[in-house]
Amino acid sequence: MRVSIDRHVDASDTDADGMHDWHYEYDVYRFSQGWRSFVARAYTEEPEKAAFLSREVKVFGFYRHRLLGSADLTSSLFVAAVAHLRALGVTSFDRLTNTGYVSIEDTDLGGATE
């Protein structure tokens, strides 16, 4: 598994005192193996939480993105991604769905499959 991490800062312009109205800092993780990747985000102010945003599949040199399905949660790549994040101290996982974020419970992970 290949892991890439990109740090992002999203903030409003600073006011006269040098302060932001809002400021978010987060890391985007991409866990890749072959033609598949899972993308997750973790905010620096909540290091114990991570949210999986999408699954990417490379088709003819282009990446196609989609939300994670139940079968993705038991893939060996996803299970390895969760293990990697757990080693970094993440204890709570969510995934983005069509209706918002839902919690990923240990029972959702089942056994790893290809």
Side-chain angles (χ1 to χ4, degrees), residues 53-111:
L53 306 176
S54 66
R55 175 185 176 188
E56 298 175 338
V57 178
K58 193 172 187 178
V59 180
F60 300 115
F62 297 97
Y63 284 99
R64 297 183 61 199
H65 305 268
R66 69 166 174 80
L67 297 175
L68 276 66
S70 297
D72 293 320
L73 303 183
T74 58
S75 74
S76 58
L77 177 58
F78 185 81
V79 171
V82 168
H84 181 88
L85 290 169
R86 280 190 173 142
L88 297 176
V90 177
T91 58
S92 176
F93 299 92
D94 293 333
R95 69 180 169 115
L96 183 61
T97 69
N98 287 330
T99 58
Y101 290 93
V102 297
S103 180
I104 299 173
E105 305 297 331
D106 286 341
T107 55
D108 295 329
L109 298 174

